[in-house]
Amino acid sequence: MVPMTQAPAAPKAARRRHDREIVALAVPAFGALVAEPLFVMADSAIVGHLGTAQLAGLGIASALLVTAVSVFVFLAYATTAAVARRVGAGDLRAAIRQGMDGIWLALLLGTVVIVTVLPTAPALVELFGASPTAAPYATTYLRISSLGIPAMLIVLASTGVLRGLQDTRTPLYVAVAGFVANAALNAGLVYGAGLGIAGSAWGTVIAQFGMAAAYLFVVVRGARQHGASLRPDAAGIRAGAQAGAPLLVRTLSLRAILMIATAVAARLGDADIAAHQIIMSLWSLLAFALDAIAIAGQAIIGRYLGANDAQGAREACRRMVQWGIASGVVLGLLVFVARPLFLPLFTSDPAVQDTALPALVLVAVSQPISGIVFVLDGVLMGAGDGSYLAWAMLLTLAVFAPAALLVPAFGGGLTALWAAMTLMMALRMLTLWLRSRSGRWIVTGATR
């Protein structure tokens, strides 16, 4: 008979195993996530020395590009889940074949975006309210950079392939190399070649295609090793699009929430919108840290379900939620303690600082909630439960929109708006928790 003192050994061993998996996947994923916004920062730093009009044009064009690419982030999410399932089932050939379908879908969507953006670039820039001096620069940057959108989408899909294969180190290496190449190319083309803002756009396009080529080299090499076909498969591409459609709805709903929040903040006054932008930049940085755990969740849960290990999936989910809560508590404490030091880095205006301080308290308090939300979001994505995520986010949007829009009507300020944002995250946590508790997301097998 095993002594009672040894009973906890198995759970402890399982926790350690899950911890090792989470750390191995989440840490490199966090590095890759942080590297992505550095592209925009490098462009801004280089173009900013050309003049205010050029920097304003870059800001508008970058916002349009980020929106266009972020809409298709499902290429990474859906591909990760599908590939991870097949890895769990022990069929690497089918896993890479599934990944190739995602890459072909990315190329197809990227081509459609180019055909759409090139002729409509001036109208899109005008729609975003560009000034007469900034509009020409924004149009130039948008048109040139749009040529790199297929590469950006291939990077998304290929990242999903490698995450599904339980590899988050390669995306980190490629992201870092891409950032270095982007900065060097931009500096050389903007100043060395004298191309101005067009040089910045061309530098980014070249860097993006370089990253796409690096990813394709890795994926194609894997395909040849395992005998997977590289040719486009209409049925596979169509299945990838169908799996991604609910995640597209989820993403668009989330983007709508963030746009509504910004629009409401703009109506509250200059100090409020300035404070809101500062808080949003911090909120986005915190999201990167928590999203790294979610990415690990997508890969790990998909693999367990593909291996028909429902119990392993439940245990991994439970452990990742604990990681999410702990990370949220740590991040919340850091925000709370550092908030008086953080704000002066962005503004010296006392009115903006006074407006932001109480809202930052809400951000700090809500971080454990965010930790649960991000983790369970990743778990359900890894399970391929996209339809539920879509409906849950639509419900959240339906609740958040009137709550946020009523803030100005009742004389509320930025703190009231961020109370609505906290309500939004709490509702997301409730819907995701109820789904995770129900167990309906647990569908085992190589395909859902």
Side-chain angles (χ1 to χ4, degrees):
M1 181 178 294
V2 178
M4 291 184 65
T5 54
Q6 296 183 9
K12 285 184 178 179
R15 286 197 299 270
R16 285 196 295 267
R17 184 179 71 252
H18 292 312
D19 289 345
R20 286 195 297 269
E21 290 180 336
I22 293 168
V23 170
L25 291 172
V27 173
F30 174 70
L33 288 169
V34 171
E36 292 175 8
L38 292 179
F39 271 84
V40 178
M41 291 178 63
D43 289 356
S44 300
I46 293 170
V47 172
H49 292 287
L50 294 174
T52 302
Q54 289 90 333
L55 184 58
L58 172 66
I60 292 168
S62 295
L64 286 164
L65 286 167
V66 168
T67 299
V69 174
S70 64
V71 164
F72 298 111
V73 73
F74 70 83
L75 288 167
Y77 295 159
T79 304
T80 297
V83 171
R85 275 184 176 269
R86 285 162 176 79
V87 168
D91 192 348
L92 289 178
R93 179 179 179 180
I96 296 176
R97 175 64 258 181
Q98 181 75 40
M100 287 303 306
D101 292 335
I103 291 172
W104 280 110
L105 176 60
L107 182 61
L108 177 63
L109 292 173
T111 303
V112 172
V113 174
I114 288 180
V115 173
T116 304
V117 170
L118 283 177
T120 61
L124 291 172
V125 167
E126 183 180 355
L127 182 65
F128 264 58
S131 68
T133 54
Y137 297 112
T139 301
T140 297
Y141 190 93
L142 181 59
R143 277 181 165 160
I144 296 173
S145 294
S146 68
L147 300 176
I149 287 179
M152 297 180 196
L153 299 189
I154 288 173
V155 166
L156 280 178
S158 301
T159 301
V161 176
L162 295 180
R163 288 173 181 170
L165 293 171
Q166 317 297 297
D167 176 11
T168 56
R169 291 183 179 273
T170 300
L172 172 61
Y173 300 148
V174 174
V176 171
F179 167 70
V180 173
N182 179 66
L185 285 167
N186 280 10
L189 293 174
V190 170
Y191 297 114
L195 296 179
I197 195 170
S200 178
W202 281 117
T204 300
V205 168
I206 294 170
Q208 291 287 355
F209 271 102
M211 292 173 65
Y215 275 119
L216 288 175
F217 173 80
V218 174
V219 174
V220 169
R221 182 181 61 185
R224 288 175 175 170
Q225 287 176 348
H226 297 285
S229 173
L230 300 176
R231 295 179 180 179
D233 177 67
I237 295 172
R238 186 166 54 251
Q242 290 172 346
L247 295 180
L248 175 62
V249 173
R250 168 204 168 274
T251 301
L252 289 174
S253 300
L254 180 57
R255 296 294 300 183
I257 287 171
L258 299 179
M259 289 175 65
I260 290 171
T262 301
V264 170
R267 294 184 181 183
L268 297 176
D270 291 345
D272 293 87
I273 185 60
H276 178 74
Q277 289 303 110
I278 293 171
I279 294 172
M280 278 301 300
S281 66
L282 175 62
W283 196 73
S284 299
L285 179 62
L286 298 171
F288 282 132
L290 297 174
D291 202 30
I293 305 174
I295 287 170
Q298 294 172 30
I300 293 170
I301 293 299
R303 192 188 76 234
Y304 274 115
L305 293 178
N308 294 310
D309 188 354
Q311 184 60 30
R314 289 190 187 92
E315 291 176 355
C317 174
R318 188 180 304 112
R319 190 57 177 164
M320 280 183 283
V321 168
Q322 292 170 356
W323 269 77
I325 295 172
S327 300
V329 169
V330 171
L331 292 174
L333 288 173
L334 286 174
V335 171
F336 184 81
V337 172
R339 70 192 194 284
L341 304 174
F342 170 76
L343 289 173
L345 297 175
F346 290 87
T347 179
S348 57
D349 188 338
V352 176
Q353 293 184 16
D354 291 342
T355 301
L357 271 174
L360 275 177
V361 173
L362 282 175
V363 172
V365 171
S366 67
Q367 284 311 295
I369 296 175
S370 296
I372 297 172
V373 168
F374 277 87
V375 167
L376 291 180
D377 207 39
V379 166
L380 297 186
M381 284 183 187
D385 202 12
S387 296
Y388 182 83
L389 290 173
W391 284 111
M393 191 59 78
L394 285 172
L395 172 63
T396 303
L397 173 60
V399 173
F400 171 78
L405 293 173
L406 286 173
V407 168
F410 285 92
L414 189 66
T415 303
L417 175 60
W418 275 92
M421 289 286 286
T422 304
L423 170 66
M424 178 269 293
M425 292 301 291
L427 180 56
R428 288 186 69 189
M429 181 183 69
L430 177 62
T431 57
L432 295 172
W433 179 78
L434 289 173
R435 186 65 168 182
S436 68
R437 290 281 295 176
S438 73
R440 295 178 183 175
W441 56 278
I442 299 177
V443 179
T444 58
T447 58
R448 183 176 172 87

